[in-house]
Amino acid sequence: MPPAISLPASTFRKVLKGFEIGGLPYTDVQFHLKRLLAQGTSPEELQEVLRRCELITPLPDYAHAEVLRLLEEARDRAAPQIVEVAPEAEPSTEEESTGDLAAELRMTRKALAAEQGKAREISRALAERIGSEQAARARSEDVRRESEHYQGELRNARNVLSTRDSVIAQMRVSLDECNAKIAALRKEHAAASTTLESRGKNVVQLQTDLEASRTRAATLGAELAAARAALETEQRRRQEIERASVDKLALNEAALSRRSHAERDAQLAALRLGHEKAAAVLETRAKTLEGELQAARKRIDAMTADLKSSQDAASAIHAQNARLSAQLRTGQTDQGAARAERDALRAQVAVLQSTAQRREPEQMVPEQVVPEQIVPEQIVPERIVPERTAGPDRIASPDLKETPDSIQNPVFRDIAPASMAALRAASVVEITDFLPSPKPIKRWKPGALVRVIGVGAAIVALALVTWLFATNPAAPVKAPAVVAAAIPQAGTVLHDCPACPGVTVLPAGRFEQGSKYTDTAASPFEKPLHVVAIAYPFAMSTNAVTVDEFRAFVAATGRDMQGGCDIYDGNWRRRPDSSWENPGFAQTGSHPVTCASWNDAKAYTAWLSKTTGQRYRLPSASEWEYAARAGGAAVLPWTEASGACTGANVADQSAARRYPGWTVFGCDDGFAFTAPVGSFKANAFGLNDMLGNVFQWTEDCWRADYAGAPINGSARTGGDCSDHELRGGSWFSTPAYVRANYRNHFAADYRTSSVGIRVVREVAR
């Protein structure tokens, strides 16, 4: 039986056993050892327990050294109190200790064997668990790599699908553009054919008129030659009569000397008077014939020039017809190629979609692409000749530019004033040169009576010639009545009534509308760039129509403005309680009216026309862009983006603070929504807020581009007019959409808080 040990020694042995198997940290071993020594346990007993335990499993060097140090320190502290034991007792104690140690060694070996068995079992279980975990990790890694591979293929498939979708969308847009161009080319071809036929008829008429004028000129020339021959014959006869009269006067001088000087003077006076009258009549008729001849020659020259112009125009139309036909054939070829490419892309997309569906177990939902909301050089205005109404002897064509020379053509202008000017400027034959004044006769000579008879015969002959010309006068041409209208000077501001908007008179001029094909920043519907000539002055409202001005219209007409309006509160949505009086933000009477549709704007201009007696209307898109460019070529009145806030109310920093995430100008105009009209710098024409604040309706029906657009400033009103064109941008517009050449469109009945009204008043057409 093993010797009994004390409780502190047993406790220390358990502590060492726990440290040996890893159940206790070394700090706990130190703690328990210090506690046992503090309780008075013998250091020798504890050292003996340590020795026995180390016989089985030695402690680590650092632990062994520290435990021995603590035991030595405790032994040193307890040395004065140790009682020496008799020498004879030592052998017995040593024998007992050896027996106890042997018994304890056997028990420890058994416990160690049991613990080693448990440790082997735990090691086997741990190895099995580690193996299973490693296999699971390997399988998981394979699954992860396969998942990443499939995800990469899925992303590639989605990218390819997205690219194909964008290509298909672009092809659709290109196909629509080709269809629109083909339709426009067909219309131009039909119009050119009609114009060509009309001009062919006019050319035939001009040739007929030219032949008639030449015949008339030849007749007049023959008549003038006959008149001159008659005058020369009468002159020769008069000279012969004068020579005979002189001879007879010499013979009858004695007989005539008896007559009184008074009778002689009276006869001479009567003769001179008759001579002067005949000379005056002949001179007048000669001048008239000369003027008519020159007018006829001018008409012939004008008709010849017009005939040549018509022939040139016909040649140009033939060339244009051929060019349009070629473009039409090219467009049809491009359309067929685009359709073939579109079908091929659709087939590829179908293959990619089927591949993606096989590889992806879950349904793929395509991302919805939200279209971006469409929220537009120095040309001096010049006077353009107004287009005149075509007559039977004129070819009316808006494509032919008139010149001052063509305006002065006597065939198309007032004939009577031109004839009078030609008569005054023409060199005429002075008949008095052929009829020399009679020499004064101081006394009667023989043969005076014969001379008087000869002069009377000459007068009768001249009268007969005059009568012959008078009975066959040239056919007079009536001159059209010209009514001169007083046109206000450009820059004049007109007010037709207290509630009417003020309008500023703009001069006639020409400019380039739209954008160049090479301008990559411009949209396709801003092209092609084309020259527009506005040949008439007109007046445009200085500001957009204000809330107070629109209120007068609603009060006078009782127009129903109910039905709601689209407003912006983070997203555009329709609110039934919104209207021009409640657009979703605060306004005063001087703010521009909003929530007014194109139909409302048309009703407003009709009311202005009825109220004032003047003709008010919406501006055409060409008139609006001409006014926005203000005589220049630039599409913006500022050169730096920071200058936008001095010239327009646009999306800026104040809007970005209210709606974070907006794309805005890098400046602050102080207005997140509309601003009172006239708050910003006016353009060169004196017009305010042409850009920004609110979009403005125009008369034009919406078209996808400028193909076939008018070039005389008029609006495009044919075809589908469900949508109408907008211009100018608004408080909501980002920098890309604030340009003079930017175009947008809405339905005719659409009301929104970003669209207002600007009007035109005609001053002369």
Side-chain angles (χ1 to χ4, degrees):
M1 183 175 181
I5 60 176
S6 63
L7 181 61
S10 176
T11 301
F12 185 58
R13 187 175 62 184
K14 292 179 179 180
V15 169
L16 293 177
K17 192 69 174 177
F19 176 71
E20 177 185 347
I21 63 177
L24 287 176
Y26 176 69
T27 55
D28 289 348
V29 174
Q30 285 183 325
F31 172 75
H32 289 292
L33 178 59
K34 291 179 180 180
R35 181 175 59 81
L36 292 174
L37 292 174
Q39 291 176 356
T41 304
S42 171
E44 289 79 3
E45 185 178 6
L46 297 179
Q47 187 172 2
E48 183 64 21
V49 171
L50 175 64
R51 185 181 66 81
R52 292 178 181 179
C53 288
E54 286 186 331
L55 291 175
I56 301 172
T57 304
L59 292 177
D61 293 340
Y62 71 91
H64 177 76
E66 184 66 20
V67 170
L68 289 179
R69 185 183 63 78
L70 292 174
L71 292 176
E72 289 295 332
E73 290 178 354
R75 187 181 296 109
D76 292 340
R77 289 194 298 273
Q81 302 176 1
I82 295 177
V83 179
E84 294 183 359
V85 183
E88 56 272 15
E90 289 180 1
S92 175
T93 302
E94 185 176 355
E95 292 178 358
E96 291 178 359
S97 298
T98 302
D100 293 338
L101 287 174
E104 186 174 358
L105 180 60
R106 287 191 298 273
M107 292 180 63
T108 301
R109 286 177 177 175
K110 290 180 180 181
L112 180 60
E115 291 296 332
Q116 288 177 350
K118 290 180 180 181
R120 284 191 296 272
E121 292 178 358
I122 292 173
S123 298
R124 284 194 300 271
L126 182 61
E128 292 176 356
R129 183 173 180 180
I130 290 173
S132 62
E133 287 182 356
Q134 289 178 348
R137 287 178 182 177
R139 288 194 300 273
S140 176
E141 185 67 20
D142 293 339
V143 171
R144 184 183 64 79
R145 285 195 297 269
E146 186 175 1
S147 176
E148 290 179 353
H149 175 69
Y150 283 128
Q151 287 178 355
E153 291 185 353
L154 181 59
R155 284 193 298 270
N156 293 334
R158 285 177 175 173
N159 293 334
V160 172
L161 286 175
S162 176
T163 303
R164 296 299 183 186
D165 290 340
S166 62
V167 171
I168 290 175
Q170 292 177 358
M171 293 300 299
R172 286 177 178 172
V173 172
S174 300
L175 187 59
D176 293 340
E177 292 178 355
C178 289
N179 291 332
K181 290 181 179 179
I182 289 174
L185 288 174
R186 286 175 177 170
K187 291 181 180 179
E188 290 183 6
H189 185 271
S193 299
T194 304
T195 304
L196 184 59
E197 293 177 0
S198 175
R199 291 192 174 181
K201 295 178 181 179
N202 289 334
V203 166
V204 174
Q205 183 65 33
L206 280 176
Q207 289 176 343
T208 303
D209 294 341
L210 179 59
E211 292 298 331
S213 297
R214 286 176 176 173
T215 304
R216 179 61 179 165
T219 302
L220 290 175
E223 291 177 358
L224 182 60
R228 287 178 176 174
L231 288 176
E232 292 176 356
T233 302
E234 291 300 326
Q235 181 183 8
R236 289 193 298 269
R237 290 177 60 187
R238 191 187 67 174
Q239 290 175 355
E240 291 175 357
I241 291 172
E242 285 181 353
R243 286 195 296 270
S245 297
V246 170
D247 295 338
K248 290 181 180 181
L249 283 175
L251 296 175
N252 298 328
E253 182 178 359
L256 291 175
S257 60
R258 294 191 298 267
R259 297 185 181 182
S260 64
H261 291 283
E263 183 180 357
R264 183 192 61 184
D265 293 339
Q267 290 177 353
L268 288 175
L271 182 61
R272 287 177 179 175
L273 180 60
H275 176 270
E276 290 176 357
K277 289 182 179 179
V281 171
L282 290 175
E283 179 183 359
T284 302
R285 182 56 182 166
K287 289 182 178 179
T288 303
L289 291 174
E290 186 74 20
E292 291 178 355
L293 180 60
Q294 291 183 0
R297 288 175 178 172
K298 290 183 179 180
R299 288 197 296 272
I300 291 172
D301 294 339
M303 287 184 177
T304 303
D306 286 342
L307 179 60
K308 186 177 182 302
S309 300
S310 299
Q311 292 173 348
D312 294 341
S315 300
I317 290 177
H318 279 299
Q320 183 180 7
N321 191 9
R323 186 175 66 256
L324 291 176
S325 299
Q327 291 179 358
L328 181 60
R329 291 192 295 271
T330 303
Q332 291 173 347
T333 303
D334 294 343
Q335 184 180 12
R339 287 177 177 173
E341 187 173 355
R342 182 189 63 185
D343 295 338
L345 289 175
R346 285 179 176 174
Q348 294 179 8
V349 170
V351 172
L352 289 172
Q353 288 177 344
S354 61
T355 303
Q357 289 175 356
R358 289 195 302 269
R359 290 186 176 181
E360 186 177 8
E362 60 180 1
Q363 183 181 5
M364 293 187 297
V365 180
E367 298 180 356
Q368 183 180 5
V369 181
V370 180
E372 182 178 354
Q373 181 182 6
I374 301 178
V375 187
E377 317 175 301
Q378 182 85 23
I379 301 178
V380 180
E382 62 181 30
R383 181 172 180 81
I384 303 300
V385 180
E387 181 179 0
R388 298 188 297 278
T389 305
D393 55 352
R394 176 165 178 82
I395 299 173
S397 173
D399 298 331
L400 297 179
K401 183 178 179 181
E402 297 180 346
T403 62
D405 293 337
S406 64
I407 297 173
Q408 299 300 328
N409 193 322
V411 178
F412 306 105
R413 299 294 293 174
D414 186 19
I415 302 300
S419 298
M420 294 301 295
L423 287 174
R424 288 192 298 267
S427 60
V428 298
V429 179
E430 297 290 344
I431 301 178
T432 55
D433 293 340
F434 298 99
L435 299 175
S437 302
K439 297 179 180 179
I441 301 175
K442 298 182 179 179
R443 59 186 180 87
W444 286 95
K445 296 181 179 180
L449 181 60
V450 177
R451 182 178 180 181
V452 172
I453 294 172
V455 173
I459 292 173
V460 172
L462 291 174
L464 178 60
V465 173
T466 304
W467 177 81
L468 289 174
F469 283 108
T471 55
N472 296 298
V477 182
K478 294 183 179 180
V482 179
V483 179
I487 300 176
Q489 186 178 2
T492 304
V493 179
L494 306 176
H495 289 85
D496 292 328
C497 70
C500 297
V503 294
T504 300
V505 179
L506 308 183
R510 65 197 302 269
F511 72 106
E512 290 184 326
Q513 184 176 1
S515 300
K516 298 179 180 178
Y517 276 118
T518 56
D519 187 357
T520 58
S523 302
F525 51 72
E526 300 172 19
K527 302 172 182 179
L529 186 70
H530 58 287
V531 176
V532 175
I534 301 178
Y536 51 88
F538 62 97
M540 179 174 284
S541 54
T542 310
N543 302 298
V545 175
T546 65
V547 173
D548 283 345
E549 291 165 350
F550 195 77
R551 181 177 287 111
F553 154 69
V554 175
T557 61
R559 183 172 180 81
D560 184 11
M561 297 295 294
Q562 302 300 317
C565 174
D566 278 19
I567 67 169
Y568 186 82
D569 55 0
N571 290 294
W572 285 102
R573 60 189 183 92
R574 193 167 192 83
R575 286 183 50 181
D577 58 338
S578 297
S579 67
W580 65 277
E581 293 181 300
N582 180 28
F585 45 81
Q587 280 191 317
T588 65
S590 62
H591 279 70
V593 68
T594 62
C595 293
S597 67
W598 185 86
N599 294 331
D600 299 329
K602 290 288 289 183
Y604 177 70
T605 58
W607 173 75
L608 286 177
S609 300
K610 182 179 179 181
T611 302
T612 63
Q614 302 293 337
R615 187 178 180 217
Y616 282 83
R617 57 178 174 81
L618 294 179
S620 68
S622 297
E623 290 171 338
W624 189 96
E625 187 167 334
Y626 170 67
R629 291 180 185 255
V635 297
L636 291 173
W638 54 80
T639 56
E640 299 292 338
S642 59
C645 293
T646 62
N649 177 24
V650 293
D652 60 349
Q653 297 299 322
S654 57
R657 288 193 294 271
R658 186 177 183 90
Y659 299 109
W662 276 21
T663 301
V664 299
F665 284 92
C667 58
D668 193 344
D669 58 25
F671 298 97
F673 299 104
T674 60
V677 298
S679 299
F680 299 89
K681 183 180 179 181
N683 69 6
F685 277 169
L687 303 178
N688 297 315
D689 303 322
M690 289 300 294
L691 298 178
N693 221 4
V694 290
F695 273 102
Q696 298 152 34
W697 291 108
T698 68
E699 187 71 26
D700 292 57
C701 302
W702 174 252
R703 296 291 180 272
D705 55 26
Y706 281 126
I711 60 173
N712 60 353
S714 60
R716 284 200 285 189
T717 57
D720 181 14
C721 284
S722 57
D723 280 22
H724 286 270
E725 190 166 332
L726 291 165
R727 290 304 195 99
S730 71
W731 55 268
F732 180 80
S733 299
T734 57
Y737 304 134
V738 182
R739 292 180 281 112
N741 55 352
Y742 175 71
R743 305 171 64 217
N744 202 341
H745 63 100
F746 281 139
D749 59 351
Y750 182 70
R751 293 171 177 166
T752 177
S753 60
S754 63
V755 177
I757 306 171
R758 189 180 290 269
V759 300
V760 161
R761 175 191 180 276
E762 294 188 356
V763 295
R765 287 304 297 263

